[in-house]
Amino acid sequence: SPTVGKELARNALYAVAIASIGIIIYVSIRFEYKMAIAAIASLLYDAFFIVTFFSITRLEVDVTFIAAVLTIIGYSINDTIVTFDRIREHMKKRKPKTFADLNHIVNLSLQQTFTRSINTVLTVVIVVVTLLIFGASSITNFSIALLVGLLTGVYSSLYIAAQIWLAWKGKELKKDSAQ
């Protein structure tokens, strides 16, 4: 019903907001706040993409949909953290002095985590496709949301979060070198 739908949407927004605050705190403490903001931007992209996909295809939004969105956020933040951890390791080894150095560090980190990210997502995608084919009809929307979210999640962790951080950190590096 429309009332239940509004309540589900409100609860989903609360869940995403609370999760985002927790992620910002954790990533800011463990890494830096710029990485936290970049990670949240990529997570919001994932959530927005899944919601848009369900709106366009007019699939039912229910409790399993919310569970799928939160699961995708978990997978995506994990992928993003692995990439940011690799970037941090390289930043400690090589102190970047120019934007080109910083760009090299990000590209090297992405190359090193790319195979791991793709293999992790492909493993889960195989299971999700199996659930779509052989699973009960009650979890079809969950499986569809998971499939779409996994694909956008790996994209956003590899290509959105790291690039947002690179652009932001690059501006800071240019400003520091100009002084």
Side-chain angles (χ1 to χ4, degrees):
S1 72
T3 306
V4 174
K6 286 180 184 177
E7 186 177 333
L8 279 173
R10 187 175 348 103
N11 289 342
L13 286 175
Y14 289 150
V16 169
I18 291 168
S20 296
I21 291 168
I23 290 167
I24 287 173
I25 292 168
Y26 171 75
V27 175
S28 294
I29 291 169
R30 181 116 159 86
F31 298 97
E32 64 179 72
Y33 77 95
K34 289 180 178 144
M35 287 182 175
I37 301 301
I40 292 301
S42 73
L43 293 181
L44 291 176
Y45 168 82
D46 297 338
F48 179 75
F49 194 91
I50 295 169
V51 169
T52 303
F53 179 81
F54 266 64
S55 295
I56 290 171
T57 58
R58 297 191 183 267
L59 292 169
E60 182 181 356
V61 174
D62 55 5
V63 177
T64 60
F65 171 79
I66 294 170
V69 170
L70 293 176
T71 303
I72 294 309
I73 287 173
Y75 271 101
S76 186
I77 193 64
N78 184 45
D79 233 6
T80 304
I81 293 298
V82 168
T83 303
F84 283 158
D85 191 44
R86 191 56 56 98
I87 290 171
R88 184 181 62 179
E89 287 174 14
H90 288 297
M91 293 278 289
K92 286 179 182 177
K93 290 177 186 173
R94 312 166 186 204
K95 303 288 185 196
K97 293 180 180 33
T98 65
F99 183 78
D101 295 342
L102 193 62
N103 191 34
H104 176 72
I105 287 171
V106 170
N107 284 333
L108 182 63
S109 301
L110 286 172
Q111 288 172 0
Q112 292 174 347
T113 59
F114 185 82
T115 303
R116 177 232 171 253
S117 296
I118 297 299
N119 287 341
T120 302
V121 168
L122 281 178
T123 303
V124 180
V125 163
I126 291 168
V127 173
V128 170
V129 168
T130 304
L131 282 174
L132 267 171
I133 295 169
F134 300 111
S137 61
S138 60
I139 61 167
T140 300
N141 283 350
F142 175 78
S143 300
I144 292 170
L146 215 53
L147 181 62
V148 170
L150 285 167
L151 298 176
T152 59
V154 74
Y155 170 78
S156 70
S157 2
L158 292 173
Y159 298 111
I160 293 178
Q163 300 309 317
I164 290 173
W165 178 81
L166 174 63
W168 202 353
K169 192 71 170 181
K171 287 181 184 178
E172 177 186 298
L173 189 66
K174 286 178 184 177
K175 186 171 37 169
D176 288 346
S177 65
Q179 292 176 352

